[in-house]
Amino acid sequence: MKPAPGGLPRGRYRKEVIVMREVAVIGVGMHPFGRFTDKSIADMSREATVRALEDADVRWKDIQAAYVGHLYQGLVFGQRMLSEIGYSGIPIVNVEGACASGSIAFRECYYGVALGRWDVCLALGAEKMAHGLIPVTGMRPLESAMGYQVFPASYAMIFRRYHELYGLTIEQLAKISVINHNNGCLNPNSKYKLRLTIEDVQNSRVIADPLTMYHCCPNTDGAACVILCAKEKASEYVTGPLVTIAASQLVSNSYETASVLENCVTKRACDLAYEQSGIGPEDLDLIELHDCFTMAEAWHLGNMGVCEIGEEGSLIDSGNIEIGGRIPVNPSGGLLAKGHPVGATGIAQVCEVTWQLRGQAGERQVEGAKTGMTHCHGAQGAACAVHILKR
Amino acid sequence: MIKGNAGELKKKVIPVEENLFTMPSMTEGETRLIGSKCNFCGAVFFPKRAICGKCYRDGMEEVTLSRTGKVTTWTVIRMKSQGYKGEMPYVMGEVELPEGVVVRTQFRGIDPDNPAIKIGDSVEVMLEKIYEDNEGNDVVCYQFKPV
């Protein structure tokens, strides 16, 4: 490989300079997250898709393309799921990016409309999850045989580092679990509806010291779907204020060899999204972020610029990330309470932000919300997708 | 290349993965991690790789890495992951070597129930059996222990 010619920031990222159409989220629908042993993944995908189509008042025959996120559901997953609705013969793209699969599907769907390829298309994410630790497939023998790829362990190690460097306490992290579970109590789509205390969180069983079970999100089943439309065409389907996409960013990092302490992807993706949209962390009314573990939420908050890195503990204590605070984080309950059906998670974040911006979030409504950000972090930062929505 | 010959032992001792570390029989009892150093920009990587991940040029030289480093973080894992073949629970963490390379590792000589380990501790690389394979061979991997 020869070095790139001078001038370009060699391969780090290239800014998108193409003029794009504005894109509106005109329909959202979810199948609740939880354990549904009596339902197939096709049942859940169909229900989420039909709800989104009904919400957008769009007929299936109007959908021009579909982008489908999943991790474990096998070959031609999107084709199998959407044939439940009808055999329309549209292009269907299956997308894998670990926990960010749904977000990446959403982003590709967005670009399909923004670049003028489609006027109306759909992003679906769905998953049925096994119990226990999220299985990591395709690892090198070293990593599987030595038990290196244990996600809660990575976040336990990040915590220990933050504790040493910044004095973040495990009780402050436990409070994130308490807050997100409180929010989940207000969300009909949430798996858990639990009022926890810091003691409850700390007294649950240890997974990776010092993280206990309630510091970790539960694996769940679930599905979520959104319908996107060129803003100029949206009035053909919906009336009233439109939720539009102000920024879409996706960045990557190495997976196998990266130290757990590097979180350059969240910072890079968010900085690019702030620049693209002209909306900064101080302008955001709410954030749905990838709280696979309590430590993940704290880690991302600093890297997003919601607080300075090292100030996460005081931000948690301040009450500002609770509903009613300055910048509510995971009002849906997040992955911690709502659950984590990997492929559906990123799409469900968009559903939540859309409901919040429309003022349809019921008891968990963030008053007057006009801007919201979604953030998914796949495989410890191998992929990180960030979207900013506004109305 | 590494043959995994254990000399006087009856059964074979084989590495969990080729090209990660030198086997004791080759270095008179001391194992070392095998990494790569870029001939252009000097970046060092573990495990070894063909192309520099920092400057993207093709000019990597195989190097053995320092035997001691500092603990940068650690945890005790109490839930078994798919494909894991060692003992439960286990102490895992990351070690920074003087070359600037951060290595994920298990720790030996530390009691998981009463872990006497802290960030900044000096640790030394060693080889230890992880499990016995279907043919009765001892599969070994690098780990770190307190100095």
Side-chain angles (χ1 to χ4, degrees), chain B residues 49-132:
Chain B
R49 52 183 292 144
I51 292 169
C52 179
K54 199 175 167 194
C55 75
Y56 322 145
R57 281 182 276 193
D58 181 0
M60 302 301 283
E61 178 192 356
E62 184 174 304
V63 290
T64 53
L65 303 175
S66 301
R67 299 193 67 246
T68 57
K70 303 265 187 214
V71 175
T72 58
T73 188
W74 62 277
T75 183
V76 180
I77 300 181
R78 295 188 177 274
M79 200 165 175
K80 193 171 173 175
S81 58
Q82 202 176 50
Y84 177 58
K85 292 170 179 169
E87 288 172 11
M88 291 294 296
Y90 57 103
V91 185
M92 192 180 86
E94 292 190 341
V95 172
E96 184 167 10
L97 300 178
E99 291 87 350
V101 180
V102 176
V103 177
R104 187 168 282 203
T105 184
Q106 282 196 26
F107 292 108
R108 289 288 139 169
I110 291 163
D111 176 8
D113 294 321
N114 190 18
I117 180 173
K118 60 182 191 307
I119 292 172
D121 281 357
S122 288
V123 286
E124 181 181 32
V125 72
M126 60 179 283
L127 274 193
E128 179 89 2
K129 173 183 166 183
I130 308 306
Y131 64 97
E132 199 172 283

Side-chain angles (χ1 to χ4, degrees), chain A residues 179-188 190 192-193 331-333 337-338:
Chain A
I179 295 168
N180 291 2
H181 280 93
N182 282 343
N183 296 349
C185 290
L186 309 175
N187 184 355
S190 177
Y192 282 136
K193 292 171 181 73
S332 71
K338 194 169 57 180

